[in-house]
Amino acid sequence: MNPAEPEGAAEPGAHDAVDALPAVAPQLRELRRRAALTLEAAARAAGLSPAHLSRLETGRRQPSLPMLLALARTYGTTVSELLGETPTDRDAIVRAPDMEPTAAGGWTYWQAGAPGRGMQALRVHVPHGAQGDIVRVHPGEEWLYVLKGRLRLRLGDTAHILAPGDSAHFDSLTPHRIAAADHGGADFLFVHTLLQSPATALCLGGITQGDRHDGI
């Protein structure tokens, strides 16, 4: 799914993101430098304009969850590291009390997997009307399983309504978008691959600056 949005548009859930992501700007800048990427190269790999990425790095804009996922892939890291969270040992078990909710881009998500893995697992709540018009295209694979409510999933030119118990597994290079089909929103489990470098994205066809995408 895709982070790119019109430069002047207000971000859904921006106030929640400001509260939840106070240290993300310096982390974004540090991780880009650690990856030895120029602002232009990093922005191109993440599907953003250089001006937009600059605003994120200086704290003038707050990233949505889709942007965080795309930047994590670009820098070969995880959303947890982008948020400046202290790395923990790779435990196979994630206890429910350890899953802290994070609001970004109008969505709420909980980390349901251990950090530093080749895949990222999330539990996600999508309110009705949040990000439903954002088309996303990016390298990788995605799998989701609906827990509650109905989810509207568009893959290419085909629209699907997924009910609780339904799942989907698809190539993320297929243009896709996700929205809650019911006014009460929808909850689902989500797993996606974390591509480890911009070179990997390039091998899979790359991401042009005009594409709209994220990781969900």
Side-chain angles (χ1 to χ4, degrees), residues 24-76:
V24 71
Q27 282 293 109
L28 290 177
R29 188 165 52 249
E30 174 59 29
L31 287 169
R32 176 174 62 79
R33 290 172 177 171
R34 189 190 306 174
L37 292 172
T38 65
L39 187 71
E40 291 75 13
R44 183 169 57 253
L48 298 169
S49 70
H52 196 114
L53 181 55
S54 177
R55 292 187 185 102
L56 295 178
E57 289 189 355
T58 56
R60 287 179 290 166
R61 293 291 296 273
Q62 289 293 332
S64 64
L65 171 57
M67 289 179 187
L68 289 173
L69 293 171
L71 289 167
R73 284 193 301 272
T74 297
Y75 300 147

Short mmCIF file of all heavy atoms in Angstrom, two decimals, residues 24-76:
data_model
loop_
_atom_site.label_atom_id
_atom_site.label_comp_id
_atom_site.label_asym_id
_atom_site.label_seq_id
_atom_site.Cartn_x
_atom_site.Cartn_y
_atom_site.Cartn_z
N VAL A 24 10.34 10.44 15.72
CA VAL A 24 10.52 9.79 14.43
C VAL A 24 11.39 10.62 13.49
O VAL A 24 12.14 10.05 12.69
CB VAL A 24 9.16 9.46 13.78
CG1 VAL A 24 8.46 10.72 13.30
CG2 VAL A 24 9.35 8.48 12.65
N ALA A 25 11.34 11.96 13.56
CA ALA A 25 12.10 12.79 12.61
C ALA A 25 13.60 12.53 12.68
O ALA A 25 14.23 12.23 11.65
CB ALA A 25 11.77 14.26 12.83
N PRO A 26 14.25 12.62 13.85
CA PRO A 26 15.69 12.34 13.89
C PRO A 26 16.03 10.90 13.53
O PRO A 26 17.09 10.64 12.95
CB PRO A 26 16.08 12.66 15.34
CG PRO A 26 14.80 12.66 16.11
CD PRO A 26 13.74 13.08 15.16
N GLN A 27 15.13 9.95 13.84
CA GLN A 27 15.38 8.56 13.47
C GLN A 27 15.39 8.40 11.95
O GLN A 27 16.23 7.70 11.40
CB GLN A 27 14.31 7.65 14.07
CG GLN A 27 14.50 7.33 15.54
CD GLN A 27 15.73 6.48 15.76
OE1 GLN A 27 16.73 6.94 16.30
NE2 GLN A 27 15.69 5.23 15.33
N LEU A 28 14.45 9.06 11.27
CA LEU A 28 14.40 8.96 9.82
C LEU A 28 15.68 9.49 9.19
O LEU A 28 16.23 8.89 8.26
CB LEU A 28 13.19 9.75 9.29
CG LEU A 28 11.82 9.18 9.58
CD1 LEU A 28 10.74 10.11 9.05
CD2 LEU A 28 11.66 7.79 8.98
N ARG A 29 16.14 10.61 9.68
CA ARG A 29 17.37 11.22 9.13
C ARG A 29 18.58 10.32 9.39
O ARG A 29 19.41 10.08 8.51
CB ARG A 29 17.56 12.60 9.74
CG ARG A 29 18.69 13.41 9.11
CD ARG A 29 18.58 14.88 9.49
NE ARG A 29 18.47 15.05 10.93
CZ ARG A 29 17.36 15.47 11.55
NH1 ARG A 29 16.27 15.76 10.86
NH2 ARG A 29 17.33 15.61 12.87
N GLU A 30 18.70 9.80 10.62
CA GLU A 30 19.84 8.97 10.99
C GLU A 30 19.86 7.66 10.19
O GLU A 30 20.92 7.24 9.71
CB GLU A 30 19.80 8.67 12.49
CG GLU A 30 20.86 7.68 12.97
CD GLU A 30 22.28 8.16 12.69
OE1 GLU A 30 22.51 9.39 12.64
OE2 GLU A 30 23.17 7.30 12.52
N LEU A 31 18.70 7.02 10.03
CA LEU A 31 18.66 5.76 9.31
C LEU A 31 18.95 5.96 7.82
O LEU A 31 19.57 5.11 7.18
CB LEU A 31 17.29 5.10 9.50
CG LEU A 31 17.06 4.50 10.89
CD1 LEU A 31 15.61 4.11 11.07
CD2 LEU A 31 17.97 3.31 11.13
N ARG A 32 18.52 7.09 7.26
CA ARG A 32 18.85 7.36 5.85
C ARG A 32 20.35 7.53 5.68
O ARG A 32 20.94 6.99 4.74
CB ARG A 32 18.11 8.62 5.37
CG ARG A 32 18.51 9.01 3.93
CD ARG A 32 17.68 10.16 3.42
NE ARG A 32 17.86 11.37 4.19
CZ ARG A 32 18.90 12.20 4.07
NH1 ARG A 32 19.89 11.92 3.22
NH2 ARG A 32 18.96 13.31 4.80
N ARG A 33 20.99 8.26 6.60
CA ARG A 33 22.43 8.45 6.51
C ARG A 33 23.18 7.14 6.72
O ARG A 33 24.19 6.87 6.07
CB ARG A 33 22.87 9.51 7.52
CG ARG A 33 22.39 10.91 7.16
CD ARG A 33 22.66 11.91 8.25
NE ARG A 33 22.26 13.26 7.84
CZ ARG A 33 22.21 14.30 8.66
NH1 ARG A 33 22.55 14.15 9.94
NH2 ARG A 33 21.83 15.48 8.20
N ARG A 34 22.66 6.32 7.63
CA ARG A 34 23.29 5.02 7.88
C ARG A 34 23.21 4.14 6.64
O ARG A 34 24.11 3.34 6.37
CB ARG A 34 22.61 4.33 9.06
CG ARG A 34 23.34 3.08 9.53
CD ARG A 34 22.51 2.30 10.53
NE ARG A 34 22.06 3.11 11.66
CZ ARG A 34 21.23 2.65 12.58
NH1 ARG A 34 20.77 1.39 12.51
NH2 ARG A 34 20.86 3.43 13.59
N ALA A 35 22.13 4.28 5.88
CA ALA A 35 21.96 3.51 4.65
C ALA A 35 22.73 4.13 3.47
O ALA A 35 22.70 3.58 2.37
CB ALA A 35 20.49 3.42 4.28
N ALA A 36 23.42 5.25 3.71
CA ALA A 36 24.22 5.93 2.69
C ALA A 36 23.38 6.33 1.49
O ALA A 36 23.79 6.19 0.34
CB ALA A 36 25.40 5.06 2.26
N LEU A 37 22.17 6.84 1.75
CA LEU A 37 21.26 7.28 0.70
C LEU A 37 21.12 8.80 0.73
O LEU A 37 20.99 9.39 1.81
CB LEU A 37 19.88 6.64 0.87
CG LEU A 37 19.78 5.14 0.64
CD1 LEU A 37 18.40 4.64 1.05
CD2 LEU A 37 20.05 4.80 -0.81
N THR A 38 21.12 9.41 -0.43
CA THR A 38 20.81 10.83 -0.49
C THR A 38 19.31 11.01 -0.25
O THR A 38 18.53 10.05 -0.35
CB THR A 38 21.17 11.42 -1.87
OG1 THR A 38 20.33 10.80 -2.86
CG2 THR A 38 22.63 11.19 -2.20
N LEU A 39 18.91 12.23 0.03
CA LEU A 39 17.49 12.51 0.23
C LEU A 39 16.71 12.12 -1.02
O LEU A 39 15.62 11.52 -0.92
CB LEU A 39 17.30 14.00 0.55
CG LEU A 39 15.89 14.43 0.96
CD1 LEU A 39 15.58 13.91 2.35
CD2 LEU A 39 15.77 15.95 0.93
N GLU A 40 17.26 12.45 -2.18
CA GLU A 40 16.56 12.16 -3.44
C GLU A 40 16.42 10.66 -3.67
O GLU A 40 15.36 10.17 -4.05
CB GLU A 40 17.30 12.81 -4.62
CG GLU A 40 17.25 14.32 -4.66
CD GLU A 40 18.17 14.99 -3.62
OE1 GLU A 40 19.03 14.28 -3.05
OE2 GLU A 40 18.02 16.20 -3.39
N ALA A 41 17.50 9.90 -3.41
CA ALA A 41 17.47 8.45 -3.64
C ALA A 41 16.50 7.76 -2.67
O ALA A 41 15.74 6.87 -3.06
CB ALA A 41 18.87 7.86 -3.49
N ALA A 42 16.53 8.18 -1.41
CA ALA A 42 15.64 7.57 -0.43
C ALA A 42 14.18 7.89 -0.75
O ALA A 42 13.31 7.02 -0.64
CB ALA A 42 16.00 8.07 0.97
N ALA A 43 13.91 9.13 -1.13
CA ALA A 43 12.54 9.53 -1.46
C ALA A 43 12.03 8.73 -2.65
O ALA A 43 10.89 8.25 -2.66
CB ALA A 43 12.50 11.03 -1.74
N ARG A 44 12.88 8.57 -3.66
CA ARG A 44 12.47 7.84 -4.86
C ARG A 44 12.16 6.38 -4.52
O ARG A 44 11.16 5.82 -4.97
CB ARG A 44 13.58 7.91 -5.91
CG ARG A 44 13.22 7.24 -7.24
CD ARG A 44 14.22 7.57 -8.33
NE ARG A 44 15.59 7.22 -7.96
CZ ARG A 44 16.55 8.10 -7.65
NH1 ARG A 44 16.29 9.40 -7.63
NH2 ARG A 44 17.77 7.69 -7.34
N ALA A 45 12.99 5.75 -3.69
CA ALA A 45 12.77 4.35 -3.32
C ALA A 45 11.51 4.16 -2.50
O ALA A 45 10.86 3.12 -2.57
CB ALA A 45 13.98 3.82 -2.54
N ALA A 46 11.15 5.17 -1.69
CA ALA A 46 9.96 5.08 -0.83
C ALA A 46 8.71 5.60 -1.50
O ALA A 46 7.63 5.56 -0.91
CB ALA A 46 10.22 5.83 0.47
N GLY A 47 8.84 6.13 -2.73
CA GLY A 47 7.66 6.63 -3.42
C GLY A 47 7.21 8.00 -2.95
O GLY A 47 6.03 8.34 -3.06
N LEU A 48 8.14 8.80 -2.40
CA LEU A 48 7.84 10.14 -1.92
C LEU A 48 8.62 11.16 -2.74
O LEU A 48 9.58 10.82 -3.42
CB LEU A 48 8.24 10.29 -0.45
CG LEU A 48 7.53 9.39 0.56
CD1 LEU A 48 8.23 9.47 1.91
CD2 LEU A 48 6.08 9.80 0.70
N SER A 49 8.23 12.41 -2.65
CA SER A 49 9.04 13.47 -3.24
C SER A 49 10.13 13.84 -2.24
O SER A 49 9.96 13.68 -1.03
CB SER A 49 8.18 14.70 -3.54
OG SER A 49 7.79 15.34 -2.34
N PRO A 50 11.29 14.33 -2.71
CA PRO A 50 12.34 14.77 -1.78
C PRO A 50 11.84 15.82 -0.80
O PRO A 50 12.23 15.82 0.37
CB PRO A 50 13.43 15.33 -2.71
CG PRO A 50 13.24 14.58 -3.99
CD PRO A 50 11.75 14.40 -4.12
N ALA A 51 10.99 16.73 -1.28
CA ALA A 51 10.47 17.78 -0.39
C ALA A 51 9.63 17.18 0.74
O ALA A 51 9.72 17.61 1.89
CB ALA A 51 9.64 18.78 -1.19
N HIS A 52 8.84 16.16 0.40
CA HIS A 52 8.00 15.54 1.43
C HIS A 52 8.86 14.81 2.45
O HIS A 52 8.63 14.91 3.67
CB HIS A 52 7.02 14.57 0.77
CG HIS A 52 5.88 14.16 1.66
ND1 HIS A 52 4.58 14.51 1.41
CD2 HIS A 52 5.86 13.45 2.80
CE1 HIS A 52 3.81 14.03 2.37
NE2 HIS A 52 4.56 13.38 3.23
N LEU A 53 9.87 14.06 1.98
CA LEU A 53 10.75 13.35 2.91
C LEU A 53 11.50 14.35 3.79
O LEU A 53 11.71 14.10 4.99
CB LEU A 53 11.73 12.47 2.15
CG LEU A 53 12.70 11.64 3.01
CD1 LEU A 53 11.96 10.78 4.02
CD2 LEU A 53 13.60 10.79 2.12
N SER A 54 11.92 15.47 3.22
CA SER A 54 12.60 16.49 4.01
C SER A 54 11.70 17.00 5.12
O SER A 54 12.15 17.21 6.26
CB SER A 54 13.03 17.65 3.10
OG SER A 54 13.62 18.68 3.86
N ARG A 55 10.42 17.19 4.84
CA ARG A 55 9.49 17.65 5.87
C ARG A 55 9.34 16.61 6.98
O ARG A 55 9.21 16.95 8.15
CB ARG A 55 8.13 17.96 5.24
CG ARG A 55 8.12 19.16 4.31
CD ARG A 55 6.72 19.52 3.86
NE ARG A 55 6.73 20.58 2.88
CZ ARG A 55 6.58 20.39 1.58
NH1 ARG A 55 6.39 19.16 1.11
NH2 ARG A 55 6.60 21.41 0.75
N LEU A 56 9.35 15.32 6.60
CA LEU A 56 9.26 14.26 7.61
C LEU A 56 10.50 14.27 8.50
O LEU A 56 10.41 14.09 9.72
CB LEU A 56 9.11 12.90 6.93
CG LEU A 56 7.84 12.65 6.12
CD1 LEU A 56 7.89 11.28 5.48
CD2 LEU A 56 6.60 12.78 6.99
N GLU A 57 11.68 14.47 7.88
CA GLU A 57 12.93 14.42 8.64
C GLU A 57 13.10 15.63 9.55
O GLU A 57 13.86 15.57 10.52
CB GLU A 57 14.11 14.33 7.68
CG GLU A 57 14.23 12.98 6.98
CD GLU A 57 15.53 12.84 6.20
OE1 GLU A 57 16.29 13.83 6.12
OE2 GLU A 57 15.78 11.74 5.66
N THR A 58 12.45 16.73 9.24
CA THR A 58 12.56 17.93 10.07
C THR A 58 11.38 18.08 11.02
O THR A 58 11.31 19.05 11.77
CB THR A 58 12.67 19.19 9.19
OG1 THR A 58 11.56 19.25 8.29
CG2 THR A 58 13.96 19.18 8.39
N GLY A 59 10.45 17.12 10.99
CA GLY A 59 9.32 17.15 11.91
C GLY A 59 8.20 18.07 11.49
O GLY A 59 7.25 18.27 12.25
N ARG A 60 8.26 18.62 10.27
CA ARG A 60 7.18 19.50 9.82
C ARG A 60 5.97 18.72 9.32
O ARG A 60 4.89 19.28 9.20
CB ARG A 60 7.69 20.43 8.71
CG ARG A 60 8.61 21.53 9.23
CD ARG A 60 9.10 22.40 8.10
NE ARG A 60 10.05 21.68 7.25
CZ ARG A 60 10.44 22.09 6.05
NH1 ARG A 60 9.94 23.21 5.54
NH2 ARG A 60 11.32 21.39 5.35
N ARG A 61 6.16 17.44 9.02
CA ARG A 61 5.06 16.54 8.70
C ARG A 61 5.27 15.26 9.49
O ARG A 61 6.40 14.89 9.80
CB ARG A 61 5.02 16.22 7.20
CG ARG A 61 4.67 17.38 6.30
CD ARG A 61 3.23 17.82 6.44
NE ARG A 61 2.28 16.80 6.04
CZ ARG A 61 1.85 16.62 4.79
NH1 ARG A 61 2.32 17.37 3.81
NH2 ARG A 61 0.96 15.68 4.52
N GLN A 62 4.17 14.58 9.83
CA GLN A 62 4.26 13.31 10.53
C GLN A 62 3.87 12.19 9.58
O GLN A 62 2.91 12.30 8.82
CB GLN A 62 3.33 13.30 11.75
CG GLN A 62 3.79 14.19 12.89
CD GLN A 62 5.08 13.69 13.53
OE1 GLN A 62 5.36 12.50 13.52
NE2 GLN A 62 5.86 14.59 14.08
N PRO A 63 4.63 11.09 9.57
CA PRO A 63 4.34 10.00 8.63
C PRO A 63 3.13 9.19 9.04
O PRO A 63 2.86 8.99 10.23
CB PRO A 63 5.61 9.15 8.69
CG PRO A 63 6.14 9.39 10.07
CD PRO A 63 5.81 10.82 10.39
N SER A 64 2.40 8.72 8.05
CA SER A 64 1.32 7.77 8.30
C SER A 64 1.92 6.37 8.42
O SER A 64 3.11 6.16 8.14
CB SER A 64 0.33 7.79 7.13
OG SER A 64 0.96 7.36 5.95
N LEU A 65 1.12 5.40 8.83
CA LEU A 65 1.59 4.02 8.90
C LEU A 65 2.09 3.52 7.54
O LEU A 65 3.17 2.92 7.46
CB LEU A 65 0.48 3.10 9.42
CG LEU A 65 0.74 1.59 9.35
CD1 LEU A 65 2.00 1.21 10.09
CD2 LEU A 65 -0.45 0.82 9.86
N PRO A 66 1.37 3.78 6.44
CA PRO A 66 1.91 3.35 5.14
C PRO A 66 3.28 3.94 4.84
O PRO A 66 4.14 3.25 4.29
CB PRO A 66 0.85 3.85 4.14
CG PRO A 66 -0.42 3.85 4.93
CD PRO A 66 0.00 4.30 6.30
N MET A 67 3.51 5.20 5.17
CA MET A 67 4.81 5.81 4.95
C MET A 67 5.88 5.14 5.80
O MET A 67 7.00 4.88 5.33
CB MET A 67 4.77 7.31 5.28
CG MET A 67 3.99 8.13 4.30
SD MET A 67 3.99 9.86 4.80
CE MET A 67 2.84 10.55 3.58
N LEU A 68 5.56 4.84 7.04
CA LEU A 68 6.53 4.17 7.91
C LEU A 68 6.92 2.80 7.35
O LEU A 68 8.09 2.42 7.37
CB LEU A 68 5.94 4.01 9.32
CG LEU A 68 5.80 5.28 10.15
CD1 LEU A 68 5.05 4.98 11.43
CD2 LEU A 68 7.17 5.88 10.47
N LEU A 69 5.94 2.08 6.85
CA LEU A 69 6.22 0.76 6.28
C LEU A 69 7.13 0.88 5.06
O LEU A 69 8.07 0.10 4.88
CB LEU A 69 4.91 0.07 5.92
CG LEU A 69 4.01 -0.31 7.10
CD1 LEU A 69 2.66 -0.78 6.59
CD2 LEU A 69 4.65 -1.38 7.97
N ALA A 70 6.84 1.86 4.20
CA ALA A 70 7.65 2.04 2.99
C ALA A 70 9.08 2.46 3.34
O ALA A 70 10.05 1.97 2.76
CB ALA A 70 7.01 3.08 2.07
N LEU A 71 9.22 3.36 4.31
CA LEU A 71 10.56 3.80 4.71
C LEU A 71 11.32 2.69 5.42
O LEU A 71 12.54 2.57 5.26
CB LEU A 71 10.44 5.03 5.62
CG LEU A 71 10.00 6.31 4.90
CD1 LEU A 71 9.60 7.39 5.90
CD2 LEU A 71 11.11 6.82 3.98
N ALA A 72 10.63 1.85 6.19
CA ALA A 72 11.29 0.71 6.82
C ALA A 72 11.87 -0.23 5.77
O ALA A 72 13.00 -0.71 5.90
CB ALA A 72 10.31 -0.05 7.72
N ARG A 73 11.11 -0.49 4.70
CA ARG A 73 11.64 -1.33 3.61
C ARG A 73 12.84 -0.66 2.96
O ARG A 73 13.84 -1.31 2.67
CB ARG A 73 10.55 -1.57 2.56
CG ARG A 73 9.49 -2.57 2.96
CD ARG A 73 8.66 -2.96 1.75
NE ARG A 73 8.01 -1.80 1.14
CZ ARG A 73 6.82 -1.34 1.51
NH1 ARG A 73 6.17 -1.93 2.49
NH2 ARG A 73 6.29 -0.29 0.91
N THR A 74 12.75 0.65 2.72
CA THR A 74 13.83 1.37 2.04
C THR A 74 15.12 1.31 2.83
O THR A 74 16.21 1.14 2.27
CB THR A 74 13.41 2.84 1.83
OG1 THR A 74 12.27 2.88 0.98
CG2 THR A 74 14.53 3.65 1.19
N TYR A 75 15.04 1.43 4.17
CA TYR A 75 16.23 1.46 5.00
C TYR A 75 16.63 0.10 5.53
O TYR A 75 17.57 -0.02 6.31
CB TYR A 75 16.03 2.44 6.16
CG TYR A 75 15.75 3.86 5.71
CD1 TYR A 75 14.93 4.70 6.45
CD2 TYR A 75 16.31 4.37 4.54
CE1 TYR A 75 14.67 5.99 6.03
CE2 TYR A 75 16.05 5.65 4.11
CZ TYR A 75 15.23 6.47 4.86
OH TYR A 75 14.96 7.75 4.45
N GLY A 76 15.89 -0.95 5.13
CA GLY A 76 16.24 -2.29 5.57
C GLY A 76 16.09 -2.48 7.06
O GLY A 76 16.91 -3.14 7.71
#
